[in-house]
Every structure is written in C-alpha cells, then in structure tokens.
C-alpha cells in the first residue's frame, strides 16, 4: 500500500508521552504549541544556547551574563529579615563574590555548599555596587562532577509550565528514536554543501557545541531547513507535473488581432512585455496546460500583456476570461480594454455579482454560444452556471489574496483552459517560489519609458491645513489627486465614516464640485459614478479608502495624499503610491503621519522615501515583518515551516525547486531508490497533498 506511512517512521509518530519525562500534563501543555508527537519535538530546535565554558574568575566576565567558575565556599549569611535573601560568600581564583538565594532552606544550602569545600557553580551573575552576585546558580557541582556540565547548553523555545530541563530530556529522547533513513537529498548537493545525513543532522541540531551551530548557516540546520523546503517544493512540483500531464490544447493565434492593437497604441511594448507575451504564447501553443504567473510591479503594463494573450485565444476560435478581485477593478479592466477590443473587433463583456435576471441570462447565453469573446469580471465568473462555449485562457488578476491551495483546486476543476495569474505584489524571490512554485514565471522587470520618479515626502498631521492649501493650489493648476483615509482597525463602517468626514472637510475647502468620494460601504452605482467623475476629470480630488489600493489606473492623477500613513503596511503603501506616477506628469506622494512613531513605522516610512523599487520594498517588508505576515499566513496557504527561515535561508528555496522538479522529471512515480527515500521524506513532513497526488497517480 503505497500511501501508508512507512513503518520505520512509526516511533516518531507515537504518543508524546512515550518520551522520557513527558507525562499527560506536560503533553497537554505542549499540544498547545503543536508538539503532539516525538516527531514534532525533533523538529523543535533550540532557539539559543548558553555558553558554560569554565573561567578562572568572574572578574572581567561580561556581566550580566552566565559564568561558570570553580570556587571555595565561605561564610553563610542567613537573611536578617523576611524577604531578604540568604547569602553565601564564595571565592574564585581572584575575587570574592556572593551566591544569593531567596526562600531557600538552610539545611539544603549547607548540604550543597558546605563551607570550606570546592564547588563548581554556573549561573547568571550581575554586578551590584561593583560586586558580582549570582542568584540561584543553575548548577552547583562537586569538582569531580564537572563532566555533567554541558559546555554549551541548548535553550529551547519555552511553553508556559514546561521547564528547559524537561525540554532537554524530551528532545534527547526524540533524537534517540530517530531512525537512520536513506537519504532523499541529491548526493551531489549534499556533498557540495557538506551536509550531514538526516539522523546526524537532527542529533547535531539538538546538541550545539557553540553559538555558530545555532546559526541558520550551520550545516545541520541548513540541511533540516532544506528538507522542509524540498518537501514543499515537491508538493508544488507534483501539482505542476500533474497539471502539465493533463491534456491541454494547443492555442495559436495568427497574430493579426495583436497587430491591430499594437498599431492602435500610441506606444510600443517594452522589452519585458514582448518577452512575457512570447513566453505566454509559447505555453499556449504547446499541448500542455499553461500554469503561469505574470509578476510585474504596479504600472509595469500587465494589462496589455493580458490582452495580447487573450487575443491569441480568440484568434484560435476560443474565448478568454479575466477575473479581478474587486468590482472596481473588474470595471476598470473593462473600461481600459473596451477601446482596444473595439479596435481589434472582438466582443468584450463584463459579468459581476450585480448582473441579475434577464440581463444576466442574456449574457450567459451569449457566452455559451460563443458570441462573447472575452469576459471580464469578479469571481462571479466562476459560478457554476457560467458556461463558456470554448474557454481557452483564464486570467486571474491580483490574486495573491488566494492561497496556493485554492489556486490548485481551481485549476483542478477547470476545463482544459490555460491559466495565467497576474500579481502586482512584488514579493521576494524566496516567497514567490514558495507561493507560486508550481507555476512558471514571467516577470515584467522594466517600466514603460518616460515615467518620472515620484516625489515622496513625510508630513506631520499637524500640518493638515498646509497640505490642504497646497492641494488647493494644485487643483487650481488643473491637477488631480487621491486622498486616502487612514485604515481603521475596528471596521469598514468606521473607515467609511472617517472618509465621509474628510470628504466634507475637503469639499468645504476646495469647492463642492471638485471633490469625490469612494469607499466600500457605498452603493455600487454611487461608487461607479464617483470613479467615472474622477476618470473624466469632473472631480479633481478623490477621497477614498483602500478600495483603490490595487489596479486603479487614472494616469493623469499626479498627487497621492495618504493620511495615517504610519498605520499602513509597506506593501499597501507601495500599491497606493503606485496609483500615481502612471502618466508623463511629475507626481507627488505625501505621507501624513501622527507621532510618536513606533520604530517599525519609522522604518517603513523611511523606506518609502528612499525607493520606489517594489522588489526592494518587498525585501525590506520581509525583513521587518517576517514571511508569514507578508502574505498573511492564514490566507496565503504558505506552509508554516518549523525550521526553515525564509528571511535567512531563502536562497535554499530556489535549489529546492530545481531539485524537486528534476527528481520528478527523472522519476515521476518516485519508484527509484532515491524516489522511495523522497516518499519517506514526504511522510516525515506530512505532505498529505503530495502523498494523495502520488497515490492517485
Ligand atoms: P499594471 O496593471 O501592471 O499596474 P497597467 O497595465 O495598468 O499596469 O499599465 C499602466 C499604464 O501604463 C497604463 O496607462 C498603460 O496604458 C501604460 N502602458 C502600458 N504599457 C506601456 C508601454 N509599453 N509604454 C507606455 N505606456 C504603457
Ligand atoms: Mg493592473
């Protein structure tokens, strides 16, 4: 039975209480931090370590800090009052200091620290009035017991109610249960990196000799981190291999429609756009199914790439769908694409949740009979009664909000259509590989020419009046501006209220006709009208909540004011700022903040001032927030790695992807010797999805 856990792993998946020192109570506590079996304990590595190497004297030791010295025990001084400590004077090679105990029993102290005897003590010492004190030493040993003292003692992440000592014992127990496993890592890679085998790696990771052994670069840690990434990439590679195996269709357009479009444009595509279109059309022409990610910073021109791809589908006699995450975006795609579609003579329609009744029915009929060539819309497109005559290409825009899993599900239930996902979130490479590792990647790494840098300035909220004055002057010159209101944690409704208040304020200051308002709580028709007014220039200032965060494209708008900028994340600020600087005019972004700023808010705003480079911003964001947070662990579908640290071991991800894809190319069923070992790794890391895919074949 191929899909059962190999017997060799059974001990690691037994009850936690099998481990020494773990009773039902401790097991209960550990369960709360997802340590439920010896395996989990094995993958809970020390987070730090204590150096207990012996020194001659506390003199000159970096204090406060842990010191280990041999001493001669001197006088015992019991407390003179309750709540005072019991003190024991001791003398090392060069100086006298004190051991201090609270609530200790005299008889016990006399037993472990008999006056006149030599003892080895180890613990945290501090200076008081120039004199060292060690409160409650961790170890008090007789000189001949010195061997019991670890030179370097690992420190585990602690759970309330579970001691370090218990963790040490349990971890050692788990290591003892670890079987020798045939290696799943590519032997060349293993040799090149000088990585230990699996069992040696877990043993070493739990028994660091120095602080360097705890670093992400330590070979044992790297190897174990790599295992996690490799298993993750294998899951993605299996999904990719399966998707490619399923019959796709060769979709090839003659290129006439694309030619018409390109002629009607006032600009020519950038090199990056041309390259991306070629990659996409190559995939579409091939007989396997396309599963490709188009990544491009805001304003890099993804829409044109999408359109050219869709036209290929249409020319081949099929249809294309473009799905956006919000109504506003779907509408905007529609408006942007409509003139181009008209130039090419293809029929484009919009379908959203607002379509109801007879109108919707008519659209669905047109779609089913092939009278609609391209359908743009929200996730209303994927409702079960929406049937295409011949859907050949599905494009999902800005969909980093969906998880890996949902995307896999989607492509599994789709027809033989090619899938293109577009994202404007410039995420660091390690995360892109982790999140989209099952896809092929096209990157728009070049912006259309003629864009001017955006001037970004920080302004204190105290200077609101001055900002409004400047805005008045800009409006008088005919410029257009967005005014984004602060994020409100409580609810969208409060956010809307704040936006309405700002709207009234700016209307009073700038003239009622000049200012529009859009937020998530408004009825659809009013939202559309507000957007349309702004696009056409009837209003010059658009007060908005983050509903305009992604995709909104009004090239003539050149001012972005973000109120409460300190409350936004970096990615959001970058997206919002990306709403300006899209035309040829010089653009400005004002980040308004209220002090005092937290350290991380200060860092975020400083980065925004420093750079417009989305990838740089994404790297900084990863550094400031950590990987889970960046995509939002819950929604991202990003696995939570116990060991791998994407910030510091991210480079391993690319290797893991290459290797995972290669393994499957050479041995699709994982039946070779190494393939069998890889299967064991999948079970060890509970890659259920991968195991299911393998067992279904
Ligand atoms: P994205 O969706 O990647 O943020 P868009 O597709 O909305 O970017 O394009 C941003 C703006 O740049 C649009 O106004 C578009 O017409 C324009 N644009 C796209 N490609 C080019 C190009 N090659 N040269 C000049 N302008 C371009
Ligand atoms: Mg876009």
């Amino acid at each position: 039975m191929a899909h059962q856990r190999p017997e060799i792993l059974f001990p690691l998946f037994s009850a936690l209480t099998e481990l020494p020192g773990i009773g039902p109570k401790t097991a209960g506590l550990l369960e709360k931090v997802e340590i439920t079996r010896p395996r989990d304990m094995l993958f809970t590595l020390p987070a730090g370590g204590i150096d207990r190497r012996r020194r001659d004297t506390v003199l000159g030791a970096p204090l406060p800090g842990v010191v280990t010295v041999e001493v001669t025990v001197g006088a015992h001084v019991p407390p003179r009052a309750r709540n005072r400590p019991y003190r024991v004077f001791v003398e090392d090679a060069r100086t006298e200091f004190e051991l201090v105990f609270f609530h200790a029993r005299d008889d016990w102290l006399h037993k472990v620290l008999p006056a006149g005897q030599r003892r080895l003590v180890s613990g945290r010492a501090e200076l008081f009035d120039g004199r060292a004190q060690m409160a409650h030493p961790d170890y008090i040993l007789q000189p001949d017991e010195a061997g019991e003292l670890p030179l370097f003692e690992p420190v585990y992440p602690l759970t309330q109610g579970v001691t370090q000592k218990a963790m040490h014992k349990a971890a050692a127990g788990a290591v003892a249960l670890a079987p020798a496993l045939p290696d799943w890592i590519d032997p060349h890679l293993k040799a090149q990196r000088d990585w230990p085998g699996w069992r040696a790696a877990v043993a070493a990771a739990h028994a660091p000799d120095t602080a360097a052994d705890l670093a992400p670069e330590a070979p044992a840690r790297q190897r174990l981190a790599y295992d996690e990434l490799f298993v993750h990439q294998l899951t993605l590679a299996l999904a990719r291999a399966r998707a490619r195996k399923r019959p796709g269709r060769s979709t090839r357009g003659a290129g006439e429609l694309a030619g018409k479009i390109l002629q009607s444009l006032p600009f020519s595509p950038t090199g990056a756009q041309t390259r991306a279109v070629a990659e996409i059309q190559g995939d579409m022409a091939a007989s396997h199914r396309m599963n490709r990610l188009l990544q491009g910073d805001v304003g890099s021109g993804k829409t044109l790439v999408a359109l050219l791809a869709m036209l290929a589908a249409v020319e081949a006699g099929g249809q294309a769908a473009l799905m956006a995450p919000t109504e506003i975006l779907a509408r905007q795609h529609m408006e942007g694409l409509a003139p181009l579609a008209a130039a090419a003579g293809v029929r484009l329609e919009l379908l959203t949740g607002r379509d109801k009744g007879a109108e919707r029915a008519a659209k669905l009929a047109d779609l089913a009979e092939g009278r609609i060539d391209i359908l743009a819309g929200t996730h209303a497109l994927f409702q079960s009664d929406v049937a295409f005559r011949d859907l050949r290409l599905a494009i999902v825009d800005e969909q980093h909000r969906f998880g890996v899993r949902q995307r896999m599900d989607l492509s599994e239930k789709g027809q033989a259509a090619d899938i293109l996902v577009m994202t404007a979130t410039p995420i660091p490479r390690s995360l892109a590989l982790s999140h989209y590792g099952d896809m092929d990647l096209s990157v728009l790494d070049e912006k259309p020419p003629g864009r001017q840098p955006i001037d970004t300035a920080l302004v204190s909220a105290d200077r609101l009046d001055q900002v409004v004055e400047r805005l008045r002057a800009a409006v008088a010159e005919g410029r257009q501006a967005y005014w984004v209101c602060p994020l409100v944690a409580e609810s969208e409704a409060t956010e809307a209220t704040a936006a309405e208040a700002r709207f009234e304020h700016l209307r009073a200051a700038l003239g009622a006709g000049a200012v529009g308002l859009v937020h998530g709580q408004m009825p659809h028709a009013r939202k559309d009208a507000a957007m349309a007014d702004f696009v056409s220039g009837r209003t010059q200032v658009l007060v908005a909540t983050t509903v305009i965060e992604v995709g909104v494209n009004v090239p003539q708008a050149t001012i972005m004011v973000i109120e409460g900028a300190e409350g936004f994340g970096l990615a959001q600020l970058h997206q919002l700022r990306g709403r300006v600087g899209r035309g040829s005019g010089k653009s400005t972004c004002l980040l308004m903040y209220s002090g005092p700023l937290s350290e991380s808010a200060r860092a975020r705003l400083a980065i925004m001032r420093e750079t417009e480079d989305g990838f740089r911003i994404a790297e900084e964001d990863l550094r400031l927030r950590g990987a889970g947070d960046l995509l939002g662990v819950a929604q991202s579908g990003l696995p939570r790695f116990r060991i791998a640290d994407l910030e510091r071991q991210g480079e391993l991800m690319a290797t893991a992807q290459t290797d995972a894809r290669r393994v499957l190319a050479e041995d699709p069923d994982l039946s070779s010797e190494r393939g069998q070992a890889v299967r064991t790794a999948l079970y060890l890391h509970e890659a259920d999805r991968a195991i299911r895919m393998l067992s279904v074949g």
Side-chain angles (χ1 to χ4, degrees):
M1 289 229 266
H3 46 283
Q4 246 173 37
R5 181 182 297 145
E7 227 163 282
I8 193 167
L9 296 180
F10 285 2
L12 290 179
F13 285 85
S14 59
L16 198 59
T17 45
E18 297 287 311
L19 292 177
I22 305 279
K25 184 163 156 271
T26 312
L29 293 169
L30 289 171
E31 199 168 310
K32 293 195 191 125
V33 288
E34 289 172 38
I35 300 179
T36 62
R37 296 146 313 177
R39 167 210 177 268
D40 309 324
M41 184 59 79
L42 208 56
F43 292 141
T44 303
L45 299 188
I50 300 170
D51 189 344
R52 294 202 191 273
R53 270 173 300 181
R54 203 197 284 214
R55 35 188 307 137
D56 290 341
T57 171
V58 296
L59 280 186
L63 298 185
V66 171
V67 281
T68 304
V69 283
E70 193 173 320
V71 296
T72 304
V73 181
H76 281 231
V77 184
R80 266 169 288 140
R82 268 156 57 86
N83 295 328
R84 306 288 304 170
Y86 190 112
R87 295 181 301 162
V88 179
F89 288 89
V90 296
E91 203 176 332
D92 66 24
R94 288 180 52 201
T95 188
E96 187 180 60
F97 65 98
E98 295 171 19
L99 306 181
V100 180
F101 301 85
F102 290 87
H103 313 294
R105 286 181 31 213
D106 310 24
D107 52 350
W108 177 76
L109 285 169
H110 280 289
K111 200 175 125 217
V112 296
L113 290 165
Q117 301 269 313
R118 301 283 290 167
R119 287 291 180 270
L120 185 63
V121 295
S122 181
R124 191 181 151 82
E126 277 182 88
L127 284 179
F128 280 103
D129 299 328
R131 192 186 174 93
Q133 276 193 1
M134 184 186 290
H136 300 268
D138 302 326
Y139 292 89
I140 302 172
L141 300 171
Q142 300 189 23
D144 61 359
E145 299 167 329
E148 286 175 25
L149 191 72
L151 294 182
F152 189 81
E153 192 173 54
V155 175
Y156 286 89
L158 272 193
T159 312
Q160 183 97 51
V162 184
T163 62
Q164 269 310 329
K165 222 168 159 179
M167 288 296 282
H168 282 168
K169 219 166 147 185
V175 169
L177 288 182
L181 297 174
D183 216 323
W184 45 84
I185 293 187
D186 171 30
H188 297 293
L189 178 65
K190 197 174 149 195
Q192 182 205 342
R193 300 270 187 158
D194 209 6
W195 283 340
W198 180 77
R199 184 161 63 169
V202 284
H206 284 281
D209 286 330
T210 63
D213 291 340
L214 296 167
E217 300 78 38
R221 288 224 171 204
Q222 270 213 340
R223 190 237 140 94
L224 296 176
Y226 182 80
D227 285 348
E228 281 186 312
L229 303 182
F230 179 63
V231 165
H232 176 57
Q233 285 298 337
L234 252 160
T235 307
L236 295 172
L238 272 166
R240 175 172 178 267
R242 264 171 51 127
R244 289 171 79 93
K245 215 165 58 182
R246 259 180 326 209
R249 303 164 62 194
S250 169
T251 296
R252 215 185 286 266
E256 259 172 56
L257 292 178
K260 279 191 202 165
I261 297 284
L262 291 176
Q263 266 178 5
S264 76
L265 287 176
F267 51 76
S268 26
T270 62
Q273 282 171 319
T274 306
R275 202 162 49 239
V277 170
E279 286 164 357
I280 292 164
Q281 290 182 345
D283 272 1
M284 289 174 70
S287 59
H288 62 251
R289 274 211 220 181
M290 172 167 77
N291 192 23
R292 183 170 282 276
L293 175 71
L294 175 64
Q295 192 183 34
D297 205 350
V298 286
S300 58
K302 290 184 292 297
T303 315
L304 178 63
V305 174
L307 178 65
L308 294 175
M310 291 193 290
L311 288 179
V314 174
E315 270 193 339
Q319 294 164 300
L322 173 57
M323 182 175 106
T326 66
E327 181 96 34
I328 287 188
L329 265 181
R331 223 152 261 285
Q332 187 168 302
H333 271 313
M334 178 69 194
E335 281 152 19
L337 293 174
L340 298 170
V346 304
R347 178 160 168 214
L348 169 72
E349 284 290 345
L350 181 72
L351 185 74
T352 73
R354 285 195 228 170
D355 288 289
K356 300 259 150 62
E359 221 174 303
R360 180 169 190 273
K363 267 188 203 173
L364 293 188
D366 282 353
L367 190 67
E369 279 153 41
R371 286 188 294 271
I372 294 174
D373 300 306
I374 299 178
L375 187 65
T378 54
H379 32 257
L381 292 191
F382 287 98
Q383 280 161 2
S384 55
D385 61 339
V386 178
F388 291 77
R389 189 179 67 86
D390 182 13
L391 178 66
R392 287 188 174 235
L393 173 64
I395 302 187
V396 187
D397 189 15
E398 316 280 7
Q399 77 121 38
H400 63 281
R401 285 137 209 273
F402 297 87
V404 176
R405 189 148 307 157
Q406 286 139 306
R407 186 158 39 71
M408 284 189 192
D409 289 345
L410 179 79
S411 64
E412 272 169 26
K413 92 170 166 216
Q415 309 158 20
D418 287 320
I419 293 191
L420 178 69
V421 172
M422 303 201 290
T423 173
T425 319
I427 50 181
R429 186 166 159 75
S430 60
L431 280 191
L433 289 174
S434 167
H435 199 59
Y436 301 110
D438 57 326
M439 312 187 87
D440 297 299
L441 184 65
S442 292
V443 182
L444 294 181
D445 50 6
E446 183 185 349
K447 289 217 175 160
R451 297 278 165 80
Q452 296 198 41
I454 302 171
D455 252 331
T456 300
L458 306 186
V459 192
S460 160
D462 307 338
R463 291 167 51 200
L464 178 67
D465 291 345
Q466 287 169 38
V467 173
V468 174
E469 262 331 291
R470 276 177 69 182
L471 194 57
R472 190 207 308 281
V475 164
E477 288 170 18
R479 296 176 66 183
Q480 282 188 282
Y482 296 94
W483 186 296
V484 176
C485 295
L487 270 185
V488 182
E490 299 92 72
S491 74
E492 253 182 74
T494 350
E495 216 158 276
T497 314
E500 267 159 20
R502 182 57 73 219
F503 170 63
E504 292 304 335
H505 169 209
L506 291 178
R507 266 157 68 96
L510 305 172
V515 187
L517 170 68
V518 56
H519 61 66
Q521 302 275 297
M522 279 163 58
H524 295 311
R526 277 186 55 209
K527 256 195 270 186
D528 292 350
M531 285 308 298
D533 283 345
F534 189 62
V535 170
S536 70
R538 275 193 295 280
T539 51
Q540 284 181 270
V541 177
L542 184 64
V543 177
T545 56
T546 47
V547 291
I548 61 152
E549 180 187 342
V550 280
V552 170
N553 184 31
V554 184
Q556 73 274 18
T558 54
I559 300 172
M560 168 62 65
V561 180
I562 303 175
E563 245 189 285
E566 74 277 7
F568 290 96
L570 262 180
Q572 243 176 341
L573 289 172
H574 177 64
Q575 290 294 333
L576 287 169
R577 181 171 61 183
R579 300 306 108 216
V580 297
R582 301 171 78 83
S584 52
K586 179 90 190 143
S587 294
T588 307
C589 174
L590 293 182
L591 302 174
M592 296 183 66
Y593 66 89
S594 315
L597 291 177
S598 69
E599 203 169 307
S600 89
R602 195 184 303 278
R604 287 197 300 273
L605 296 181
I607 291 158
M608 287 298 293
R609 279 203 49 189
E610 224 174 277
T611 182
E612 267 183 68
D613 177 345
F615 285 94
R616 175 76 224 279
I617 290 174
E619 296 285 353
E620 296 288 347
D621 206 14
L622 177 61
R623 208 173 47 74
L624 287 171
R625 289 204 290 160
D629 241 29
L630 203 56
L631 292 166
V633 170
Q635 348 167 311
S636 71
L638 192 69
R640 283 194 300 142
F641 299 119
R642 274 183 198 256
I643 297 172
D645 171 353
L646 290 189
E647 287 148 74
R648 300 165 72 191
Q649 296 171 322
E651 57 95 19
L652 293 176
M653 188 71 91
T655 310
Q657 183 184 71
T658 314
D659 194 24
R661 288 187 179 184
R662 185 172 334 131
V663 169
L664 283 182
E666 286 167 7
D667 179 15
D669 319 315
L670 297 182
S671 53
S672 68
E673 200 177 321
R674 184 178 170 206
Q676 293 293 341
V678 169
R679 281 175 183 260
T680 306
L682 294 177
Y683 282 101
L684 179 62
H685 285 281
E686 304 193 287
D688 295 349
R689 193 176 188 97
I691 290 162
R692 242 183 296 124
M693 286 190 279
L694 275 171
S695 55
V696 179

